[in-house]
């Protein structure tokens, strides 16, 4: 457990948080409209285009960008590189919130939101989506469990519920110490389970589209799609940590943690390089480079994804000067994060071309509002939790549990 | 003067013709009778059974009965080429003279079992035979059984569709349709659309129409339009609705400037 | 650090290898197609475009009434697709053939669920709400459905439609092959029964294939030598015969192997008996154990490159 993590004492309602709150309110209104008028009322989804940005961004990208959680957990807890613990906690928080919002996004996207529990009863082992759903469900619980020590650390011995609830102070206190004792013994199980579950569903998320060979553009449709999804998720894990840590430390005026982030991205050179090699190798073997210059939206999107999302940041990261510079490191990592996000959007939305209808799809305003609202909600909660729980490192203040 | 007289005569003949068309029997009706009849027909489209003087052609009753008959299913048919069959029939000397029934109603309980969308087709057997002069065109196969008649009716071989023991044999309904429309198209003669051969079975409007005791004319129109929206829209594009101008050929009204239903004509609502 | 990084790569490599190994076409994949299902053979040379099948379908399945009545053939001026109110539609194509009066000859195409032998939708369905029945029907059980619409993503023919306008209880809508009617009441599908010219022949799929081959053989000038649905997507219960090349009348090319094969092979080779998660779990436990005392708490003091 890091001795440095502490609640932020910063004022919560900053202008940025206000903007987030406004975006959340707009998103909430759109969600309300979806539950009054139906999915068709707020979205441009159709028979030909059953999945839009809610799946492409909220779910697929949400899962991919939450990969920081399991990659840092692997590094800090399984390999015992405790040096990286300062970023493990925020990464865990991001993953927890990311998956929470994946589930919230699904609740909006699936037609019968109230039936979301049914996969637990009706099992279809042939369904890739079933496996993804089970993994996401278990992993979300694992993440919550992994997060408990942070809550324990903050409240153990300090439970002070207001008003009538104060009667429960004793009970809560007992629960917290029980969790503390149990989890300190069992945490290794959950940490490993988290990595296993992540590997399973990060790859399976790619297998999802294998069933639609006629619909997904050949630039993305490949039998190794699951492998590409796994490697890209692993590759984006640390850049995502850099991205969010830099944002958080800048916004809260904290120590930029460069001494942790710089070495992290050295690993990324290898991980992203492997992903790039797989991508290019796959393209060469399947001969899909013939599409590269045909000028369609798909091709252009692929080029942007590969050049600005993978190649440029990879080349940037090769330079030690870039890795040492806070600004440049953030730029490179943002590019990687954007590249993986674009990859997921490409696979699920841009590259999805129904051959019969050739239906054109662009998300409606309300569809975008819901997605933006969720992202704002995630950032809002992140801000809220780091304000009141010991997640981020606070310089010059030793608040140990 | 002579012009006006000839006009009147033309009009009378026209009205008489309309009267005849709607089934008026017995002599040439006087113009007033014809008009009354036409009006009556407009109000109640009375089917022949319920009219005051029920009359049906004697061969109609016989045809109806024949259409209800069930013929034992012919399992096996003689396989021969169309030309062989034609030649053989010609050699046997079968022809128009052998026709026993000149009129058929193409209808069967076999068809009615699955649907009842259209009324039976009135089929002039002898007329088709005399024009085609080739029995083999329709009687394209014969039962394998040597004792069977050379030409047998359609429903002997074609009965229910999709029999598992005879998967390639057409059902009666499809046999009728393929034979009739196929030939009509090929010969470019005879109707090829649904209503050209049979009347649609209109659902009983007594149940469907909902009107108050003494309805206003507008209420009646609105009730019609409730279901027949397209018909109403079509009406707005017809000459009946749009027509404007004098009517020089209408008796006693040649000097009036009359307008279509859209403006001032009678029964305009 | 060298050691730990190598350990990391080992694990990552093993996970990758597991996925990579699975991309080999697994011999283990087994079709779950029923042995002798029922089906329908649509003969496009017979279809006259009267839309009676649409009417029969609407009546039998108690679907909402159409905007334009079924005898209004002007709707054929536009290409339509089955939607959440219509299980089947007829489209008119002019593939370019002319008759002796130099008029373009239309070809009418009935569109509905093909009822694949190995349906991608049923394999995809997260809860198994879609199932391939013994009699050939791909059946939808609304009580299981959660509305994820993965079936719609999976369907190569873009058939399942969705009641997007229903906020709480939307359904996936697609041709049912009149499952209850055929299976429980022993009747024919509504469209096949009402078709005036038997453009739709109902029967066992094996029989229908024979009939189709026969029709092509006995009338080679009228048909293209192909039965659409014989091999498409691994075979479908609905089959089509045409007088003009299929691609000219709106049929798309679909792979001949079942679409379910690749994803199911990967899934089963990776996750049968949960072997790969268990192996990964074991490996990670081993790594964690091995590294339990080799932490680098002190590297922080070194500050800089680890």
């Amino acid at each position: 457990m890091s001795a440095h993590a502490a609640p932020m004492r910063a004022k919560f309602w900053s202008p940025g948080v206000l903007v987030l709150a406004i975006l959340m309110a707009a998103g909430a209104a759109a969600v309300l409209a979806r539950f009054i008028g139906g999915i068709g009322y707020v979205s441009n989804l159709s028979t030909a285009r059953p999945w839009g940005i809610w799946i492409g961004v909220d779910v697929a990208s949400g899962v991919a960008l939450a990969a920081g959680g399991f990659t840092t957990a692997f590094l800090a807890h399984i390999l015992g590189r405790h040096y990286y613990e300062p970023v493990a906690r925020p990464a865990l928080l991001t993953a927890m919130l990311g998956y929470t919002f994946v589930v919230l996004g699904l609740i909006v996207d699936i037609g019968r939101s109230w039936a979301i529990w049914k996969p637990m009863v009706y099992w279809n082992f042939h369904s890739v989506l079933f496996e993804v759903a089970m993994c996401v469900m278990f992993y979300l619980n694992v993440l919550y469990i992994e997060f408990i020590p942070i809550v324990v650390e903050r409240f153990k011995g300090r439970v002070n519920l207001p008003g009538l609830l104060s009667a429960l102070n004793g009970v809560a206190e007992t629960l917290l110490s029980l969790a503390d004792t149990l989890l300190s013994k069992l945490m290794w199980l959950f940490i490993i389970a988290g990595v296993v579950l992540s590997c399973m569903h990060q790859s399976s998320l790619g297998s999802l589209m294998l069933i639609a060979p006629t619909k997904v553009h050949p630039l993305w449709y490949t039998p190794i799609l699951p492998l590409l999804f796994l490697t890209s998720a692993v590759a984006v894990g640390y850049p995502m940590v850099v991205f969010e840590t830099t944002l958080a430390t800048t916004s809260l005026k904290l120590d930029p943690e460069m001494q942790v982030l710089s070495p992290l991205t050295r690993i990324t050179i290898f991980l992203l390089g492997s992903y790039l090699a797989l991508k290019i190798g796959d393209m060469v073997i399947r001969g899909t480079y013939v599409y590269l210059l045909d000028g369609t939206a798909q091709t252009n999107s692929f080029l942007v994804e590969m050049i600005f999302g993978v190649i440029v940041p990879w080349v940037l990261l090769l330079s030690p000067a870039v890795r040492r510079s806070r600004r440049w490191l953030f730029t490179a990592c943002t590019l990687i994060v954007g590249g993986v996000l674009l990859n997921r959007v490409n696979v699920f939305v841009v590259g999805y071309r129904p051959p019969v209808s050739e239906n054109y799809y662009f998300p409606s305003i309300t569809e975008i509002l819901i997605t933006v609202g969720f992202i704002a909600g995630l950032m809002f909660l992140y801000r809220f939790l780091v304000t009141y729980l010991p997640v981020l490192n606070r310089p010059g203040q030793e608040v140990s549990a | 003067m002579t012009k006006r007289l000839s006009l009147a005569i033309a009009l009378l003949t026209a009205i008489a013709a309309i009267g005849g068309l709607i089934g008026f029997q017995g002599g040439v009706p006087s113009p007033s009778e014809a008009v009354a009849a036409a009006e009556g027909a407009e109000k109640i489209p009375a089917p022949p059974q319920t009219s005051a003087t029920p009359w049906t052609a004697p061969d109609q009753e016989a045809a109806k009965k024949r259409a209800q008959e069930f013929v034992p299913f012919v399992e096996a048919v003689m396989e021969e080429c169309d030309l062989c069959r034609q030649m053989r029939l010609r050699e046997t000397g079968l022809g128009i003279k052998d026709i026993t029934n000149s009129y058929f109603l193409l209808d069967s309980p076999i068809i009615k079992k699955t649907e009842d969308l259209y009324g039976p087709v009135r089929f002039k057997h002898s007329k088709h035979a005399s024009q085609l002069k080739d029995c083999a065109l329709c009687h394209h196969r014969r039962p394998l059984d040597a004792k069977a008649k050379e030409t047998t009716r359609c429903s002997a071989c074609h009965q229910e569709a999709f029999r598992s023991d005879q998967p390639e044999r057409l059902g009666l309904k499809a046999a009728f349709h393929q034979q009739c429309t196929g030939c009509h198209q090929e010969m470019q003669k005879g109707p090829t659309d649904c209503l050209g051969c049979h009347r649609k079975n209109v659902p009983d409007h007594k149940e469907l129409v909902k009107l108050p005791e003494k309805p206003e004319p507008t209420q009646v129109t609105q009730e019609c339009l409730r279901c027949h929206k397209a018909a109403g829209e079509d009406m707005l594009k017809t000459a009946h609705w749009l027509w404007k101008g004098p009517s020089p050929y209408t008796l006693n009204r040649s000097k009036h400037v009359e307008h279509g239903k859209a403006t001032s004509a009678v029964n305009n609502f | 650090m060298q050691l730990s990084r190598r350990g990391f790569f080992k694990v990552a490599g093993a996970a990758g290898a597991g996925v990579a190994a699975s991309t080999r076409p697994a011999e283990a994949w087994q079709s779950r197609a029923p042995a002798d299902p029922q089906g329908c053979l649509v003969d496009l040379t017979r279809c006259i475009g009267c839309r009676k099948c649409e009417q029969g379908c609407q009546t039998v399945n108690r679907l909402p009434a159409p905007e334009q009545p079924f005898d209004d053939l002007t709707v054929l001026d536009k290409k339509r697709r089955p939607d959440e109110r219509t299980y089947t539609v007829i489209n008119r194509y002019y593939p370019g053939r002319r008759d002796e009066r130099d008029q373009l000859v239309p070809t009418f195409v009935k569109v509905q669920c093909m009822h694949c032998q190995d349906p991608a939708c049923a394999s995809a369905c997260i809860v198994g709400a879609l199932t391939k029945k013994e009699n050939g029907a791909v059946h939808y059980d609304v009580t299981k459905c959660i509305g994820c619409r993965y079936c719609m993503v999976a369907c190569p023919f873009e058939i399942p439609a969705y009641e997007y306008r229903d906020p709480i209880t939307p359904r996936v809508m697609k041709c049912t092959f009149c499952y209850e009617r055929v299976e429980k009441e022993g009747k024919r599908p509504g469209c096949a029964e009402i078709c005036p010219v038997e453009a739709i022949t109902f029967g066992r799929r094996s029989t229908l294939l024979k009939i189709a081959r026969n029709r092509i053989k006995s009338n080679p000038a009228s048909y293209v030598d192909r039965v659409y649905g014989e091999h498409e997507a691994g075979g479908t219960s609905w089959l089509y015969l045409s007088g003009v090349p299929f691609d000219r009348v709106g049929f798309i090319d679909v792979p001949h192997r079942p679409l379910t094969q690749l994803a199911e092979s990967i899934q089963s080779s990776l996750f049968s008996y949960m072997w790969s998660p268990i192996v990964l779990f074991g490996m990670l436990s081993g790594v964690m154990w091995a590294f339990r005392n080799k932490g680098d708490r002190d590297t922080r003091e070194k500050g800089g490159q680890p």
Side-chain angles (χ1 to χ4, degrees):
Chain A
M1 299 296 113
S2 165
H4 300 281
M8 298 297 115
R9 293 262 171 81
K11 213 179 96 207
F12 180 68
W13 287 102
S14 68
V17 175
L18 269 176
V19 172
L20 290 181
I22 292 166
L23 290 177
M24 279 162 68
V31 169
L32 192 69
R34 177 258 175 265
F35 282 105
I36 291 171
I39 297 171
Y41 181 59
V42 293
S43 77
N44 283 344
L45 297 177
S46 62
T47 306
R49 307 294 302 236
W51 284 359
I53 56 162
W54 292 342
I55 294 292
V57 177
D58 302 17
V59 176
S61 305
V63 167
L65 299 184
F70 87 95
T71 45
T72 45
F74 176 77
L75 194 61
H77 302 306
I78 295 184
L79 292 183
R81 317 297 298 183
H82 301 286
Y83 176 77
Y84 294 105
E85 274 195 12
V87 293
R89 275 196 177 187
L92 169 65
L93 176 63
T94 317
M96 185 183 85
L97 292 176
Y99 276 86
T100 306
F101 279 88
V102 163
V103 174
L104 290 178
L106 276 174
I107 286 178
V108 169
D109 181 77
I110 68 170
R112 301 178 159 227
S113 314
W114 49 270
I116 197 165
W117 53 272
K118 283 186 176 173
M120 288 191 277
V121 183
Y122 305 113
W123 298 353
N124 180 14
F125 292 112
H126 301 292
S127 171
V128 180
L129 191 60
F130 174 74
E131 190 230 309
V132 173
M134 287 296 115
C135 285
V136 167
M137 188 184 79
F138 283 118
Y139 187 48
L140 184 59
N141 286 302
V142 165
L143 284 170
Y144 286 148
I145 291 169
E146 285 185 41
F147 197 74
I148 288 177
I150 297 173
V151 181
V152 170
E153 186 183 317
R154 169 74 178 81
F155 289 110
K156 198 177 162 193
R158 286 177 238 169
V159 176
N160 186 17
L161 294 168
L164 283 176
L165 291 172
S166 57
L168 297 170
N169 277 351
V171 184
E173 203 58 74
T174 324
L175 277 177
L176 283 180
S177 45
L178 185 73
D180 196 17
T181 355
L182 267 181
L183 284 179
S184 59
K185 295 219 173 65
L186 295 176
M187 190 47 90
W188 68 275
L189 266 179
F190 292 111
I191 286 168
I192 297 177
V195 175
V196 173
L197 287 168
S198 291
C199 286
M200 281 169 79
H201 72 266
Q202 291 285 4
S203 61
S204 295
L205 216 53
S207 310
L208 274 184
M209 289 322 245
L210 289 185
I211 204 151
T214 57
K215 294 184 178 177
V216 180
H217 192 282
L219 280 172
W220 292 280
Y221 186 88
T222 156
I224 64 160
L225 204 52
L227 182 60
L228 289 177
F229 264 54
L230 182 64
T231 43
S232 59
V234 170
V236 83
Y238 302 134
M240 186 64 196
V241 169
V242 173
F243 177 74
E244 87 211 15
T245 307
T246 310
L247 277 185
T249 51
T250 312
S251 159
L252 293 162
K253 299 180 187 63
L254 303 173
D255 170 21
E257 306 272 6
M258 284 304 286
Q259 76 281 13
V260 180
L261 300 184
S262 299
L264 257 190
T265 45
R266 271 187 49 179
I267 310 174
T268 301
I269 298 174
F270 168 74
L271 296 174
L272 194 66
S274 319
Y275 173 60
L276 179 63
L278 277 172
K279 271 285 232 194
I280 291 176
D282 172 65
M283 190 170 77
V284 171
I285 288 171
R286 289 186 306 112
T288 49
Y289 45 80
V290 295
Y291 298 102
L292 283 184
L293 292 175
D294 66 7
T296 59
Q298 281 79 23
T299 303
N300 294 339
S301 200
F302 181 84
L303 287 175
V304 171
E305 175 199 325
M306 286 310 291
I307 293 172
F308 295 102
V310 186
I311 297 172
V312 168
W314 187 68
V315 171
L316 279 178
L317 284 184
L318 285 177
S319 140
V322 166
R323 294 203 303 277
R324 274 195 299 272
S325 148
R326 191 168 183 232
R327 186 179 298 269
W328 278 105
L329 187 69
F330 180 71
T331 310
C333 288
T334 308
L335 283 176
I336 298 173
V337 167
V340 171
L341 190 138
L342 182 59
N343 172 259
R344 299 306 191 259
V345 173
N346 278 343
V347 170
F348 286 96
V349 183
V350 178
Y352 187 87
R353 298 176 314 159
V356 183
S357 328
E358 287 283 358
N359 194 316
Y360 174 79
Y361 163 83
F362 194 83
S364 68
I365 302 259
T366 33
E367 229 175 319
I368 296 170
L369 272 184
I370 289 180
T371 293
V372 170
F374 275 143
I375 295 169
L378 191 151
M379 292 166 76
F380 183 90
L381 269 183
Y382 183 95
R383 176 90 181 198
F384 177 81
L385 290 176
V386 298
T387 308
Y388 295 104
L389 290 175
V391 176
L392 292 173
N393 271 4
R394 226 168 106 208
Q397 181 110 19
E398 298 289 320
V399 186
S400 53
Chain B
M1 185 65 204
T2 43
K3 195 178 169 193
R4 181 173 282 187
L5 191 70
S6 64
L7 265 178
I9 290 166
L11 194 70
L12 279 177
T13 11
I15 291 170
I18 294 166
L21 269 180
I22 58 162
F24 235 78
Q25 305 296 326
V28 181
S30 71
S32 60
E33 268 176 337
V35 170
E39 277 172 0
E42 241 182 298
K43 273 179 199 141
I44 323 149
Q49 301 97 307
T50 53
S51 70
T53 50
W55 182 91
T56 42
D59 59 348
Q60 178 79 357
E61 284 303 305
K64 260 189 197 166
K65 237 179 247 152
R66 257 199 318 276
Q68 297 303 311
E69 282 167 15
F70 177 77
V71 190
F73 183 66
V74 174
E75 298 264 346
V77 292
M78 196 170 161
E79 291 299 334
E80 55 186 332
C81 70
D82 293 347
L83 198 66
C84 319
R85 168 109 181 112
Q86 201 178 7
M87 298 306 290
R88 215 163 44 73
L89 274 193
R90 225 166 253 173
E91 274 162 26
T92 51
L94 269 179
I96 302 166
K97 59 179 183 350
D98 301 296
I99 286 179
T100 45
N101 297 300
S102 72
Y103 172 61
F104 281 98
L105 272 178
L106 303 186
D107 192 15
S108 167
I110 297 168
I111 296 175
K112 286 287 169 285
K113 207 156 73 183
T114 55
E115 62 160 290
D116 195 10
L117 288 180
Y118 288 87
V121 173
R122 297 159 51 157
F123 177 66
K124 283 282 190 197
H125 186 205
S126 47
K127 188 185 169 207
H128 279 85
S130 61
Q131 281 195 350
L132 295 171
K133 297 188 184 67
D134 179 5
C135 306
L137 274 180
C138 296
H139 296 278
H140 57 133
R141 293 279 185 280
R142 61 149 295 148
L144 194 61
D145 182 6
K147 280 176 282 183
K149 268 173 65 183
E150 187 64 45
T151 55
T152 177
R153 65 167 88 178
C154 309
S155 63
C157 298
H158 300 283
Q159 297 193 347
E160 269 151 36
F162 321 129
R163 293 174 67 113
S164 47
D165 55 336
Q166 296 279 356
E168 309 216 16
R169 189 82 63 86
L170 285 177
L172 183 58
K173 181 173 62 175
F176 281 153
H177 282 114
Q178 285 200 14
Q179 188 66 50
C180 298
T181 35
C183 206
H184 288 181
Q185 262 163 2
E186 207 170 297
M187 310 244 166
Q188 295 176 28
K189 244 180 197 173
T192 51
D193 56 331
C194 311
L195 294 175
C197 292
H198 41 50
R199 178 173 57 79
K200 208 165 155 185
N201 283 340
V202 180
D204 188 357
H205 277 59
K206 268 188 215 133
E207 303 291 317
L208 296 173
V209 176
K210 288 184 178 67
L211 277 173
E213 198 60 24
K214 287 232 166 100
E216 293 289 308
T218 46
Q219 285 177 314
V220 180
T221 310
Q222 255 153 22
E223 181 61 11
C224 296
L225 288 175
R226 189 165 58 88
C227 299
H228 300 280
K229 221 172 154 185
E233 277 159 20
D234 288 351
M235 169 67 193
L236 298 183
K237 288 181 187 133
T238 61
H240 282 293
W241 188 260
L242 298 172
W243 168 70
K244 282 181 183 166
S247 31
Y249 302 116
T250 310
L251 195 61
N252 295 332
R253 289 194 169 270
S254 53
K255 294 277 166 63
H256 296 247
V257 175
E258 301 251 316
H259 300 285
K261 276 175 178 278
T263 49
S264 60
V266 200
N267 201 14
N268 173 28
F269 36 83
Chain C
M1 187 61 211
Q2 282 306 319
L3 203 83
S4 70
R5 201 189 297 161
R6 204 176 303 141
F8 180 92
F9 296 159
K10 242 187 275 171
V11 176
V19 180
S22 64
T23 55
R24 274 180 290 130
E27 294 80 20
W29 186 82
Q30 285 264 308
S31 166
R32 295 187 299 280
D36 193 16
Q38 284 164 319
C40 282
L41 172 67
V42 185
D43 192 331
L44 302 185
T45 64
R46 286 185 181 180
C47 180
I48 52 169
C50 65
R51 298 185 67 208
K52 285 287 177 292
C53 47
E54 294 181 23
Q55 184 175 2
C57 178
Q58 186 252 345
T59 317
V60 163
N61 293 297
R62 293 179 200 88
L63 295 173
E67 271 165 38
Q68 278 162 293
F70 288 111
D71 48 14
D72 181 355
L73 297 183
T74 57
V75 298
L76 297 175
D77 293 344
K78 268 194 233 142
K79 297 278 181 292
R80 297 174 300 153
R81 296 286 304 162
D83 58 28
E84 71 275 14
R85 299 160 56 88
T86 349
Y87 288 159
T88 185
V89 293
I90 291 285
N91 279 327
R92 183 182 56 208
Y93 291 87
Y94 289 107
R97 223 179 48 190
R98 286 168 186 277
D99 62 9
E100 55 274 24
R101 277 171 293 174
D102 208 31
Q103 298 286 306
L104 282 168
V105 182
T107 298
F108 300 97
V109 180
K110 181 178 186 292
V111 188
Q112 79 295 311
C113 173
M114 299 288 288
H115 297 276
C116 305
Q117 283 286 74
D118 279 298
C121 58
S123 167
C125 181
I126 180 168
V127 285
L130 286 155
T131 44
K132 177 78 174 173
K133 296 286 184 186
E134 267 314 297
N135 80 343
V138 176
H139 182 256
Y140 171 65
D141 179 359
V142 71
T143 60
K144 289 184 180 173
C145 182
I146 67 167
C148 67
R149 304 191 297 287
Y150 189 28
C151 50
M152 300 167 66
V153 172
C155 177
F157 303 103
E158 291 168 43
I159 290 300
Y162 202 64
E163 294 181 320
Y164 281 112
R165 289 281 165 169
D166 186 331
I168 307 296
T169 56
R171 292 169 295 172
V172 168
M173 300 297 272
K174 69 160 202 78
C175 161
T176 61
F177 205 1
C178 292
Y179 177 69
E180 315 283 316
R181 190 178 157 84
V182 172
E183 195 62 16
K184 310 245 160 83
E185 300 170 39
K187 291 186 186 163
R188 320 293 190 207
C191 54
E193 191 160 77
I194 205 169
C195 178
V197 289
E198 255 174 66
I200 309 164
T201 310
F202 173 80
R204 294 271 158 207
R205 184 171 187 268
S206 49
T207 320
L208 295 177
L209 277 172
K210 264 183 235 148
I211 296 178
R213 287 275 157 236
N214 239 335
R215 281 191 206 163
I216 295 173
K217 212 176 92 188
S218 55
N219 216 339
S222 304
Y223 292 102
V224 290
D225 188 11
R226 178 181 177 190
V227 184
Y228 190 93
E230 185 177 9
H231 304 296
E232 275 70 15
T236 57
S237 279
W238 276 66
L239 305 163
Y240 284 81
L241 278 178
S242 171
V244 287
F246 280 99
D247 55 355
R248 275 196 235 158
V249 284
F251 288 84
I252 50 159
D253 271 327
V254 174
H256 282 192
R257 61 167 173 73
L259 298 174
T260 55
Q261 192 175 344
L262 180 60
E264 282 187 8
S265 305
I266 291 182
Q267 288 299 98
S268 72
S269 58
L270 266 187
F271 298 115
S272 54
Y273 308 107
M274 299 293 282
W275 74 267
S276 67
I278 293 169
V279 168
L280 188 57
F281 197 98
M283 278 166 48
L284 289 176
S285 313
V287 170
M288 200 172 181
W289 175 258
F291 283 87
R292 72 196 181 285
N293 292 322
K294 294 187 184 154
D296 53 351
R297 278 172 206 285
D298 50 338
T299 41
R300 194 172 179 88
E301 274 91 76
K302 280 197 281 172
Q305 302 285 344

